[in-house]
Amino acid sequence: MSAQRMPGLRWPAWLRQLGWPGLLGAGLLLACAGFIQFELPQRRADVAQAESDARRLRHGLLERTNGVNGASRGEATSRQEAPMQAWSRLWAGLPDEGQRLVLQGRVLASAAQVGVPLQAVQWQGEAVKWGPGLWRQRMTMPVQAPYPALRTWLDRLQREPALSVDTIDIQRNDLTSDQVQAQVSVSLWWRQPKPKQEAP
């Protein structure tokens, strides 16, 4: 029954013009106004408290990381020197340029010893910009061999101190066979001699 037909009730003209959809919209507007007036400030206070807790936690973590609480300056200095000492040890353990053929021969010989035939090798060398005097020799090798032999060869390569395995791409076309096709890329590292300075 509509508001116009209810006996004994006289609705104002503006209310009759609104009808039920208008009343529903007005109710939603009042609910939104109530949320903005009462609930929104509480939500903002909760967000501000969470941000404050996050800042306090971050500050505490930074203090622990930087050693502000009870850490001496000597300990902070030793932490800064640790990467340089590690780099110095690594640099001292690298072979020099005169051993490059030996390093390359080890890669090829270790493949032959475990039954991994190498039909081709792509070579690419470059002087490393971030390490003055450091040379990187890349070897990219397509391989077709039994998976156990390939795995053994890769294990041997990883024991070489001046070698890093860059990429390994393995595919097996026949699930019933242990033969796999792989593309193996490694890098050999050695120290280059310092260039001789010309006399003035």
Side-chain angles (χ1 to χ4, degrees), residues 132-143:
L134 183 62
W135 186 266
R136 178 183 189 182
Q137 180 72 55
R138 289 180 178 156
M139 299 174 65
T140 303
M141 298 156 282
V143 174

Side-chain angles (χ1 to χ4, degrees), residues 44-177:
R44 286 180 176 165
D46 293 342
V47 170
Q49 182 63 38
E51 290 176 349
S52 175
D53 293 342
R55 283 193 298 270
R56 187 166 51 251
L57 179 61
R58 185 174 61 217
H59 184 67
L61 290 173
L62 286 174
E63 284 182 349
R64 287 184 184 178
T65 303
N66 295 332
V68 173
N69 292 335
S72 65
R73 289 186 178 181
E75 291 174 351
T77 304
S78 66
R79 281 197 299 271
Q80 292 174 355
E81 291 176 353
M84 295 304 297
Q85 292 173 351
W87 172 250
S88 297
R89 284 194 302 271
L90 178 64
W91 180 259
L94 286 176
D96 59 21
E97 186 185 21
Q99 295 177 295
R100 66 183 186 277
L101 295 179
V102 175
L103 295 173
Q104 296 166 0
R106 278 192 205 155
V107 174
L108 303 177
S110 63
Q113 289 169 1
V114 298
V116 176
L118 299 177
Q119 287 88 15
V121 179
Q122 295 177 1
W123 307 86
Q124 182 182 6
E126 62 179 349
V128 179
K129 295 178 181 177
W130 49 264
L134 183 62
W135 186 266
R136 178 183 189 182
Q137 180 72 55
R138 289 180 178 156
M139 299 174 65
T140 303
M141 298 156 282
V143 174
Q144 185 170 359
Y147 179 75
L150 177 64
R151 180 68 184 268
T152 303
W153 180 50
L154 293 174
D155 288 341
R156 289 192 180 187
L157 290 180
Q158 290 178 339
R159 293 191 197 115
E160 291 287 339
L163 182 144
S164 63
V165 178
D166 299 333
T167 59
I168 305 169
D169 183 16
I170 301 176
Q171 295 179 353
R172 178 181 287 179
N173 296 329
D174 185 3
L175 297 178
T176 61
S177 173

